[in-house]
Amino acid sequence: GFDDEVEKPKGKDPVKLSGYRRAIGNFVRIVTGQPIPVRFTEAGDSYTDGKSVTISASLKDKDFDPAVGLALHEGSHIKLTDFNVMKDLENRIPTWLINMIQEKYYSGRPEEDQEWLAKNYIQKYVRDLLNIVEDRRIDNYVYKAAPGYRGYYEALYDKYFNAKIVDKG
């Protein structure tokens, strides 16, 4: 027939891509209950600053569900995470720990740099650990509270975490 002779254009379908982006934005607005702006990129990390969401993922058909899972995850941070904890992290580090890190790693550096270096060293690890725990907490909350979204979370975990090498580790 006539349709058989027409070649499908190569590359991304802008109408489909726009629909995927709109759908993902809607998931963020539903999970947060707020009109949160969503940006898309294909490089870098997915993240939220508490006011907007950036999704870094392919939006090909096979990657749509994991991208929705990412959007739900980042939107859940806006809904459930206390961002002030991270802002106030520097003030929560005990002096004895700062002193111990200064002595162990930075004793040869200029004294005025030692405290700053020690605090940054500690904050990096504490931020990473808090984020890992917070990620599991919010994913568990949404997974239980919104069973209709479970497939998206399962696709997200299958794509990024459920690998034989990770299981072995």
Side-chain angles (χ1 to χ4, degrees):
F2 177 76
D3 289 340
D4 295 338
E5 297 171 20
V6 177
E7 269 191 55
K8 213 173 171 189
K10 300 248 188 277
K12 295 178 182 166
D13 179 344
V15 174
K16 187 184 275 190
L17 187 61
S18 176
Y20 281 174
R21 287 179 174 179
R22 190 170 44 258
I24 289 169
N26 286 338
F27 277 109
V28 170
R29 286 183 265 299
I30 290 166
V31 81
T32 62
Q34 301 173 44
I36 300 295
V38 180
R39 290 186 301 274
F40 297 88
T41 178
E42 288 191 20
D45 293 329
S46 296
Y47 63 92
T48 182
D49 59 7
K51 296 174 181 55
S52 68
V53 168
T54 297
I55 299 299
S56 177
S58 162
L59 295 183
K60 295 175 185 163
D61 290 347
K62 69 179 178 66
D63 296 323
F64 178 74
D65 285 1
V68 171
L70 275 172
L72 290 168
H73 173 84
E74 297 304 337
S76 298
H77 271 298
I78 293 172
K79 183 79 174 167
L80 301 168
T81 298
D82 182 352
F83 288 91
N84 291 322
V85 170
M86 291 296 196
K87 288 178 188 167
D88 192 42
L89 194 56
E90 182 178 349
N91 298 322
R92 296 172 182 250
I93 301 170
T95 305
W96 66 265
L97 183 57
I98 295 167
N99 292 338
M100 184 180 80
I101 296 298
Q102 277 181 253
E103 288 173 27
K104 183 169 175 117
Y105 295 109
Y106 303 112
S107 60
R109 303 281 180 110
E111 200 164 316
E112 61 272 10
D113 295 343
Q114 288 182 20
E115 183 178 356
W116 184 87
L117 289 165
K119 282 182 178 180
N120 281 325
Y121 177 90
I122 296 164
Q123 285 181 76
K124 177 194 178 312
Y125 287 103
V126 172
R127 264 196 190 92
D128 289 348
L129 289 171
L130 284 174
N131 191 52
I132 290 166
V133 171
E134 182 67 356
D135 284 350
R136 298 297 102 32
R137 183 185 77 83
I138 65 172
D139 289 349
N140 182 57
Y141 174 86
V142 176
Y143 193 84
K144 287 181 176 176
Y149 292 159
R150 286 182 180 173
Y152 299 117
Y153 275 95
E154 288 165 3
L156 169 68
Y157 276 73
D158 283 345
K159 179 168 181 155
Y160 292 102
F161 303 114
N162 296 343
K164 286 183 179 166
I165 190 78
V166 173
D167 293 343
K168 186 178 179 185

